[in-house]
Amino acid sequence: MTQAQLVFDPLSADFARDPYAVYSAMRQLETPYYYEDVDSWMLTKMADVEAVASDRTMVRSLDDQLSDGARKAGQRKINWHDMPHHERFVQTNLLESEGATHHRLRTLVFREFTRAMIARQREAIQTFVDAKLDRLSDLRDFDFIEDFAAHVPGHIIGRLLGVPDEHCPQLRIWSESVVRFFDVGRGQDDKALAEQATKEFYLFLADLVTERRKSPQEDLLTQLMIHHDAGRLSEDELIATAMLILMAGHGSTIDVLGSGMHALLKFPDQHRKLRNDPNQITTAVQEMFRYEAPLPYFHRFATRDCVIGGQSFRAGTRFGLLYGAANRDPDQFENPDKFDITRTPNRHIAFGKGAHLCLGNHLAALDMDVIFSTLNRRFAKIELAAGEPDYKRGLSVRGPKSLRISVTPA
Ligand code: HEM
């Protein structure tokens, strides 16, 4: 197949059903696939994706190397202009920064997200999951995502950061509105929604910071406020960091809870294996991240001429890092399309690699560990209740829109 023969339409129903067939065809091309819509070279092989993600000369943004005029022109090209709040708090944050600024911001919050610190949350997650399932105990059939999974990550991240529980449903709405605008094919309506959501989110967080100043708590927001008062980060950086943490792990964890549950239902032998040996949960969860990476696409810019996937590129080239595709690369994984809960080693890249490696990976894994362990203890049987689920359309997110299951208590 040649580049011209390959059909790549990330907004299509076919792609949502099975992006991996397209990724596989891309991987077999002689050189990376050029995706004109976003002026990017799409990388699908693990070796190429890893090489770019771990290369410090590959950056998420070229803004600090550009004149003001060139930066504004670049913003217009991707329709990220005229969005004052989005520009302040979403386009400028820990994830979008590099070098010394990135290091400073990441160091301020890193300690809270180490495996040991996150392990302290286990009991709180368990208590919340048990209470949520208690409330569903009369139902034999429910939407795993809307009725259950969607409530957990926001509550846990909110708790860590210091957002009162009653605001968690709103956090999800804001997060999803902002994340949708990262995807390809974004329209003017998505743009208005993303700007409005960012503004409301900002005002909400600014109020919360004011409250913390009056009465400090044992939470991350209070710590960020202390760092701010000590001159270690600006007011905008404080808000943008809190917003990023609340957003980055929200929809992604909900999506992989949905696709992870779907995988267990599609591969009943694997589900049985996990039930028979609950200690396999750690490798099972990592396999869920590999099998359906919920954030399958990020990008980098080259800051110098380079050779990637056997082809030379000039400085300024934009690469698409298809983490979801790399996770199915047969050169990296045996039987990559098989969902294998005991897969070891499992060097997947669902959380990225290098300087921007996901800060919340231990938290996401702990949420999943507690949830799937608890479901298998409480239910003797879990089955699909309404046929195969539809997956969301787009390139940047991956997960089922809904997932109706029927359950038989243990
Ligand atoms: C299944 C859930 C998650 C997935 C798949 C995921 C994936 C990722 C990926 C791939 C990146 C790197 C982006 C790049 O390479 O450009 C990233 C960065 C990040 N993630 Fe996650 N994430 C998840 C959950 C979380 C959670 C729960 C949090 C926080 C509570 C979080 C916070 C962050 C932050 C702050 C960054 C930016 C790190 C930096 O730039 O240094 N993520 N995530």
Side-chain angles (χ1 to χ4, degrees):
M1 189 182 283
T2 62
Q3 149 110 18
Q5 289 163 329
L6 198 147
V7 179
F8 178 49
D9 179 1
L11 295 176
S12 68
D14 275 353
F15 187 78
R17 208 169 302 117
D18 182 14
Y20 304 106
V22 181
Y23 292 154
S24 170
M26 277 184 183
R27 206 181 292 115
Q28 286 164 45
L29 297 173
E30 296 277 300
T31 50
Y33 176 87
Y34 177 66
Y35 183 33
E36 201 174 351
D37 289 26
V38 288
D39 185 20
S40 291
W41 296 83
M42 307 303 261
L43 306 179
T44 48
K45 295 181 185 165
M46 182 63 95
D48 297 340
V49 172
E50 270 190 332
V52 171
S54 50
D55 182 341
R56 298 286 164 129
T57 70
M58 297 280 182
V59 296
R60 287 193 45 102
S61 159
L62 292 172
D63 282 3
D64 56 358
Q65 307 183 15
L66 301 174
S67 67
D68 214 33
R71 192 178 58 76
K72 288 217 164 83
Q75 257 184 339
R76 255 191 301 279
K77 198 168 155 194
I78 57 168
N79 197 13
W80 275 39
H81 59 297
D82 293 338
M83 312 176 70
H85 294 89
H86 195 264
E87 286 170 42
R88 245 171 100 191
F89 302 113
V90 178
Q91 297 178 30
T92 320
N93 64 19
L94 158 63
L95 176 60
E96 302 302 342
S97 60
E98 300 293 339
T101 305
H102 175 257
H103 181 72
R104 171 174 55 85
L105 294 173
R106 189 167 165 112
T107 308
L108 292 179
V109 286
F110 179 76
R111 218 180 65 86
E112 295 308 309
F113 291 94
T114 57
R115 192 194 296 274
M117 286 301 273
I118 289 302
R120 295 174 172 196
Q121 300 294 326
R122 183 178 278 274
E123 216 181 297
I125 301 173
Q126 186 69 62
T127 305
F128 184 75
V129 166
D130 282 336
K132 203 77 212 163
L133 287 172
D134 285 348
R135 256 171 269 143
L136 295 175
S137 61
D138 288 343
L139 302 178
R140 291 291 158 267
D141 175 326
F142 57 88
D143 182 349
F144 176 70
I145 295 170
E146 280 314 309
D147 296 330
F148 174 68
H151 303 267
V152 185
H155 169 84
I156 304 302
I157 308 168
R159 203 174 163 274
L160 242 156
L161 210 94
V163 175
D165 210 25
E166 66 269 25
H167 298 294
C168 289
Q170 183 60 57
L171 293 183
R172 181 182 172 208
I173 296 170
W174 286 328
S175 300
E176 290 188 347
S177 305
V178 173
V179 170
R180 192 170 315 141
F181 194 59
F182 284 118
D183 218 325
V184 292
R186 48 186 176 231
Q188 287 307 106
D189 290 352
D190 299 326
K191 179 172 180 168
L193 206 64
E195 172 61 9
Q196 183 61 25
T198 313
K199 181 179 174 187
E200 287 172 17
F201 208 161
Y202 153 61
L203 293 171
F204 169 78
L205 287 171
D207 278 352
L208 216 53
V209 173
T210 309
E211 269 177 41
R212 286 300 180 281
R213 196 154 269 130
K214 281 191 223 134
S215 79
Q217 307 281 327
E218 294 264 316
D219 57 34
L220 188 52
L221 206 58
T222 304
Q223 285 180 30
L224 285 171
M225 187 198 77
I226 293 168
H227 286 312
H228 166 264
D229 294 352
R232 290 189 276 267
L233 85 174
S234 70
E235 182 91 29
D236 277 13
E237 286 174 336
L238 190 172
I239 299 284
T241 304
M243 204 182 276
L244 174 68
I245 288 170
L246 288 166
M247 279 187 327
H250 209 147
S252 50
T253 310
I254 298 171
D255 283 340
V256 76
L257 280 165
S259 60
M261 172 56 88
H262 184 212
L264 290 176
L265 301 177
K266 257 194 318 192
F267 295 88
D269 60 317
Q270 297 299 309
H271 198 179
R272 213 169 307 119
K273 216 185 233 182
L274 182 58
R275 282 186 180 285
N276 292 340
D277 183 2
N279 290 327
Q280 306 277 9
I281 189 67
T282 310
T283 49
V285 163
Q286 291 306 320
E287 180 67 345
M288 291 175 188
F289 292 136
R290 181 195 73 87
Y291 189 70
E292 291 286 11
L295 298 175
Y297 167 73
F298 285 87
H299 71 271
R300 293 291 186 276
F301 292 97
T303 57
R304 58 181 189 201
D305 297 352
C306 56
V307 176
I308 300 293
Q311 188 170 338
S312 300
F313 296 97
R314 305 306 303 263
T317 299
R318 192 176 197 267
F319 293 104
L321 303 184
L322 289 167
Y323 292 145
N327 276 354
R328 300 284 190 109
D329 182 349
D331 282 347
Q332 174 87 358
F333 302 101
E334 220 180 291
N335 278 333
D337 295 326
K338 176 165 173 29
F339 177 72
D340 172 2
I341 63 146
T342 59
R343 192 181 285 279
T344 346
N346 188 352
R347 285 190 48 245
H348 68 73
I349 195 163
F351 294 110
K353 197 177 169 79
H356 294 283
L357 176 76
C358 176
L359 204 63
N361 69 90
H362 300 304
L363 180 58
L366 186 60
D367 280 345
M368 304 269 288
D369 177 322
V370 171
I371 287 172
F372 285 106
S373 302
T374 309
L375 289 167
N376 280 342
R377 272 199 306 273
R378 289 177 75 132
F379 300 119
K381 217 193 251 175
I382 307 175
E383 289 166 304
L384 263 185
E388 289 298 316
D390 285 335
Y391 275 64
K392 294 175 183 173
R393 294 191 190 199
L395 189 58
S396 302
V397 294
R398 173 103 186 125
K401 288 188 201 159
S402 70
L403 186 67
R404 278 214 89 77
I405 55 169
S406 61
V407 292
T408 312

